[in-house]
Amino acid sequence: MELMNPEVKERIQELRQVLQKASYAYYVLDSPIMEDAVYDQLYRELQQLEIQYPEFVTPDSPTQRVGEKPATQFTSVRHNISLYSLENAFNIGELKAWEQRWRRNLETGAVEYVSELKIDGSALALTYENGILKRGATRGDGVMGEDITQNVRTIRSIPLRLNLEAIETLHGMPLPERIEVRGEAFLPLEVFTQINQERQKAGEGLFANPRNAAAGTLRQLDSRIVARRRLDFFAYTLHIPGRDDTSFANTQWEALELLQKMGFRVNPNHKLCRSLDEVAEYYEHWDTKRLNLPYMTDGVVVKLNSFKVQEQLGFTQKFPRWAIALKYAAEQAPTRVENIAVNVGRTGALTPLAQMRPILLAGTTVSRATLHNSDRIAQLDIRIGDTVIVHKAGEIIPEVVRVLKELRPADAKPFVMPTHCPVCGQPVVRQMGEAVTRCVNTSCPAILKGAIEHWVSRDALDIRGVGEKLVHQLVDREVVHSVADLYHLTEDKLCGLERLGKKSAQKLLEAIAQSKNQPWSRVLYGLGIRHVGSVNAQSLTQKFPTVLQLAEASLANIESVYGIGAEIAQSVYQWFRIDANKTLISRLQEAGLQFSAKDEAPTLANTNQKLAGKTFVVTGTLPTLKRDEAKALIQSSGGKVTDSVSKKTDYLVVGEDAGSKLAKAQELGITQLTEAQLLEILG
């Protein structure tokens, strides 16, 4: 719905206030209150509104300013050469539009681009006189920065003296008296984790991300603290007086090579691209590969390679025309909450969901985000109409992490969890000590649908052809009232459902019949006992080979199983004492399901015990094996597989896109294995 002029003006004023507050916190207080990706999106919204309604543009708008005031803790210095910001692009289409813009300013044929990873750290300007580091300054507002030379000297990857002899030998002449080097100071992820651990032990606030940690470190008044934090540095720009003199470098590519010869670290992943298509390939290649780097990156910097072309294109008021930052999909982004709905899961848990204006987040369009429970809603103080920050850093389910209360509508009302189940209408309960509100009506259609969907899932009974739509039909039409009813379905019952003919019904009945051969561990997992995952189910069935043994086991006996904690044990123990669950077991036994491991085919564990006594965790996407296949191979050789990394873990099997488990393993010094190394051990 298009905003009216008064609403536009109000929104513009709100955005300006939020952005100015964020800029002050970042530049002056050195205490960021907003993620870069969030600032970028709010800034772009303001920019687009001002373009559409130029009558509302004012001189004090953030879009009309080059930068903000630098902090005052250090001596302010004027940069010899201004540090410009880079224009941002967020997809290949915007990158192509940038190329079209600069080509309108310059008639030229084929050009080369240099693509470099955009390191997420803190920009530094280094001045060298006669090859000696004279000054190190923060970016500040691009014109004025802070002199932090003493701290810069602690960064070991920044040379205090340039390798002038090598330059003179190669070029036959000395460097000019003064040169300027630009680059990014950053904290390696391993160091960042260590710093936060130390701060947590000391009761200090944690850094939000490596970039904030790098900026905070550079502004330490005690350079000994800076030295201990082991900042690193990549150089990416070289300014030499008389740039048109080609004796040293006349392209960005040659400048990067020259920086290396001088003694600087240059990020090794830069690439010379001879077309925009090659730039796009580079960008897409690093979209996932960057997650395995030991430092943070948030995009790609694309520069026209030729210094001559750069000089001809020049600068706008804010940006160089010859360079652009191509950002990766944001892991956090702002959007508006249009409604708050409540979902009922298979355990009866009521989960509030924010229904939002669709946004692109981490490569996918997101319109819903979990709010977890009533405690989380109270903590966020979220209301319909709020502008919120949504997070999806490697997670499957997006969640709301913060509310921008400065943008809250005047008529926004607090959300209250329902007192009755939104599906069956029965009263809901919240047990003492629990954060979750639940529907306890075992006949609730939502609980039944969730239970069936879990039962037929790949890691449980793996019944192909029973999808969400079919499950909803089976429950809504009262064809099934329990997972046990699946084994009493007939062709006539199925053919009466939408889009299910005779042939499809027969295939479905065959798949259901085949599921009777699934082992006892899968059946146990399929029962959907709270907190029991597929790995825990295997551990339990190894200790209790029959359902009778597990049903009659004491609480202490269940808890003695490796990997089974008190909460899981309590859940299993109580589940088998509910009459309805006993009836379900009896019906499934009558249907022919496997509730005993004694009659199952012997596994390789009987003859091959290479991994006996060793505990593994599998994470990421493996090249050829599925995770379940890798787990099965480990277990068949006597090894144990758990879901979480701990001090008891011996090996972490790592594939692509590994996340927090890899970081935890690195922190604990746990041995990492590739798929190939695992297979080699297994022989």
Side-chain angles (χ1 to χ4, degrees):
M1 182 176 176
E2 189 173 347
L3 296 174
M4 301 298 289
N5 270 18
E7 294 173 318
V8 170
K9 188 175 182 180
E10 183 180 354
R11 180 63 176 173
I12 286 175
Q13 290 172 342
E14 290 173 345
L15 288 168
R16 284 176 186 162
Q17 290 172 0
V18 172
L19 292 172
Q20 286 165 350
K21 183 178 179 181
S23 293
Y24 179 79
Y26 183 88
Y27 288 107
V28 179
L29 302 181
D30 193 26
S31 179
I33 60 172
M34 185 178 294
E35 298 76 11
D36 291 345
V38 173
Y39 185 96
D40 287 344
Q41 292 200 36
L42 293 176
Y43 183 94
R44 288 183 66 141
E45 182 185 347
L46 175 60
Q47 195 173 42
Q48 289 166 2
L49 285 173
E50 289 183 343
I51 290 171
Q52 191 174 356
Y53 300 92
E55 64 271 24
F56 296 141
V57 177
T58 59
D60 65 337
S61 173
T63 63
Q64 306 302 302
R65 301 178 67 176
V66 175
E68 301 294 333
K69 291 170 61 178
T72 57
Q73 290 177 312
F74 294 89
T75 303
S76 293
V77 292
R78 181 174 294 276
H79 292 299
N80 299 315
I81 302 170
S82 296
L83 280 77
Y84 283 81
S85 300
L86 289 176
E87 182 180 0
N88 288 328
F90 292 89
N91 53 57
I92 301 301
E94 293 185 2
L95 179 68
K96 291 179 178 178
W98 165 74
E99 184 188 49
Q100 292 171 359
R101 287 197 300 276
W102 74 252
R103 283 191 179 278
R104 286 197 293 267
N105 289 287
L106 181 68
E107 291 185 9
T108 185
V111 295
E112 292 179 331
Y113 297 97
V114 174
S115 296
E116 306 168 47
L117 292 179
K118 187 176 182 295
I119 309 302
D120 201 13
S122 189
L124 292 181
L126 309 178
T127 302
Y128 285 81
E129 292 182 1
N130 298 316
I132 305 298
L133 177 64
K134 183 70 174 178
R135 189 178 80 184
T138 63
R139 180 186 180 278
D141 64 2
V143 177
M144 300 290 292
E146 298 81 54
D147 187 336
I148 56 167
T149 307
Q150 196 64 24
N151 288 345
V152 168
R153 289 179 183 277
T154 69
I155 304 175
R156 294 184 178 274
S157 47
I158 294 179
L160 301 180
R161 181 185 185 279
L162 301 180
N163 188 353
L164 299 179
E165 293 79 7
I167 302 302
E168 292 181 20
T169 301
L170 287 166
H171 297 278
M173 63 175 67
L175 279 173
E177 180 181 339
R178 174 184 285 179
I179 68 167
E180 293 275 332
V181 175
R182 303 287 160 74
E184 200 82 4
F186 64 94
L187 274 177
L189 293 174
E190 182 180 357
V191 178
F192 169 70
T193 302
Q194 180 183 334
I195 289 172
N196 263 352
Q197 288 174 344
E198 292 171 356
R199 291 176 70 86
Q200 186 172 28
K201 289 179 182 177
E204 299 174 345
L206 303 185
F207 287 119
N209 52 54
R211 178 177 183 174
N212 289 351
T217 298
L218 286 170
R219 303 169 97 102
Q220 285 288 330
L221 297 176
D222 187 347
S223 58
R224 292 171 297 181
I225 297 175
V226 183
R228 286 200 299 269
R229 289 187 180 175
R230 293 178 289 159
L231 281 166
D232 209 336
F233 180 81
F234 282 132
Y236 54 67
T237 301
L238 173 63
H239 292 286
I240 300 176
R243 198 175 196 178
D244 57 344
D245 183 353
T246 59
S247 301
F248 294 103
N250 63 2
T251 66
Q252 172 66 8
W253 189 260
E254 292 172 1
L256 292 174
E257 292 179 336
L258 184 57
L259 283 166
Q260 287 182 299
K261 292 170 185 174
M262 288 178 176
F264 288 97
R265 284 193 71 196
V266 171
N267 190 281
N269 300 307
H270 57 280
K271 182 181 179 182
L272 183 63
C273 301
R274 291 175 171 81
S275 69
L276 217 59
D277 288 338
E278 287 189 25
V279 173
E281 290 174 6
Y282 176 92
Y283 172 75
E284 290 165 1
H285 171 79
W286 284 105
D287 189 13
T288 54
K289 291 291 185 182
R290 66 192 173 96
L291 301 176
N292 297 322
L293 292 170
Y295 45 82
M296 292 291 290
T297 65
D298 61 351
V300 170
V301 175
V302 184
K303 301 173 184 174
L304 282 160
N305 190 32
S306 168
F307 284 166
K308 182 178 180 181
V309 172
Q310 289 185 15
E311 187 177 0
Q312 289 173 324
L313 286 171
F315 299 81
T316 67
Q317 184 184 0
K318 298 180 66 174
F319 310 120
R321 292 190 177 93
W322 43 265
I324 195 166
L326 181 56
K327 294 279 193 84
Y328 287 112
E331 294 180 338
Q332 292 193 339
T335 186
R336 283 190 177 184
V337 177
E338 296 179 336
N339 192 24
I340 297 178
V342 176
N343 181 60
V344 183
R346 65 181 176 86
T347 64
L350 271 63
T351 304
L353 295 171
Q355 297 177 340
M356 309 168 302
R357 183 176 296 171
I359 50 168
L360 186 65
L361 190 63
T364 59
T365 299
V366 172
S367 59
R368 297 196 309 170
T370 180
L371 297 174
H372 298 292
N373 51 55
S374 54
D375 284 353
R376 181 58 175 159
I377 286 180
Q379 183 183 35
L380 288 168
D381 185 23
I382 188 170
R383 306 179 187 187
I384 296 171
D386 274 341
T387 298
V388 296
I389 306 303
V390 185
H391 179 63
K392 195 186 177 187
E395 300 294 334
I396 296 173
I397 303 174
E399 67 170 334
V400 173
V401 294
R402 194 166 74 256
V403 175
L404 298 181
K405 295 179 183 177
E406 299 92 338
L407 302 180
R408 171 170 288 167
D411 58 349
K413 295 180 180 179
F415 175 80
V416 179
M417 286 287 286
T419 57
H420 289 71
C421 175
V423 176
C424 68
Q426 294 298 308
V428 295
V429 299
R430 178 177 174 179
Q431 299 290 345
M432 186 175 294
E434 285 196 358
V436 179
T437 302
R438 297 183 188 279
C439 172
V440 292
N441 174 21
T442 56
S443 300
C444 177
I447 296 176
L448 178 56
K449 289 173 183 176
I452 296 174
E453 288 173 9
H454 178 73
W455 178 265
V456 303
S457 65
R458 187 180 66 179
D459 290 340
L461 280 295
D462 194 20
I463 303 178
R464 306 294 173 88
V466 183
E468 181 181 347
K469 290 183 179 179
L470 179 58
V471 170
H472 281 236
Q473 284 195 73
L474 291 171
V475 174
D476 292 342
R477 298 194 179 192
E478 300 186 352
V479 177
V480 298
H481 299 86
S482 159
V483 293
D485 290 337
L486 292 173
Y487 298 92
H488 297 283
L489 288 173
T490 63
E491 190 177 305
D492 290 340
K493 290 180 180 178
L494 290 173
C495 286
L497 302 176
E498 294 176 10
R499 298 182 182 180
L500 204 64
K502 184 174 182 180
K503 191 172 183 180
S504 298
Q506 289 174 346
K507 284 186 177 181
L508 189 57
L509 290 173
E510 289 173 7
I512 292 172
Q514 288 174 359
S515 73
K516 296 178 182 180
N517 298 320
Q518 294 287 10
W520 161 217
S521 59
R522 280 179 173 255
V523 173
L524 178 59
Y525 173 63
L527 291 173
I529 301 173
R530 284 183 67 194
H531 309 306
V532 176
S534 57
V535 173
N536 291 332
Q538 291 176 344
S539 300
L540 287 167
T541 54
Q542 287 173 5
K543 174 75 173 181
F544 306 104
T546 69
V547 67
L548 184 60
Q549 289 175 308
L550 180 57
E552 294 181 348
S554 67
L555 183 60
N557 205 4
I558 297 172
E559 195 173 339
S560 69
V561 178
Y562 178 84
I564 304 298
E567 189 176 25
I568 301 173
Q570 183 71 28
S571 180
V572 173
Y573 181 80
Q574 289 182 340
W575 193 91
F576 280 100
R577 270 136 195 88
I578 296 173
D579 289 339
N581 295 335
K582 294 177 183 178
T583 301
L584 175 62
I585 295 293
S586 297
R587 291 191 62 200
L588 290 172
Q589 284 179 313
E590 291 172 3
L593 275 294
Q594 301 294 319
F595 283 90
S596 170
K598 293 181 178 179
D599 300 326
E600 294 173 8
T603 66
L604 293 177
N606 295 328
T607 56
N608 178 359
Q609 293 292 301
K610 286 185 178 181
L611 305 183
K614 301 296 182 184
T615 301
F616 291 74
V617 173
V618 182
T619 185
T621 304
L622 302 178
T624 62
L625 295 173
K626 294 179 180 178
R627 282 201 204 181
D628 289 345
E629 293 171 339
K631 291 177 182 179
L633 285 172
I634 293 167
Q635 290 166 338
S636 68
S637 295
K640 293 179 180 178
V641 182
T642 60
D643 289 327
S644 58
V645 175
S646 69
K647 292 180 180 179
K648 295 181 180 180
T649 305
D650 295 295
Y651 297 100
L652 179 73
V653 182
V654 184
E656 284 193 5
D657 302 334
S660 58
K661 292 179 183 178
L662 175 58
K664 181 70 172 177
Q666 290 172 335
E667 176 189 328
L668 296 175
I670 292 166
T671 303
Q672 299 164 35
L673 300 175
T674 63
E675 178 189 293
Q677 290 170 324
L678 173 65
L679 294 175
E680 185 178 347
I681 292 173
L682 293 170

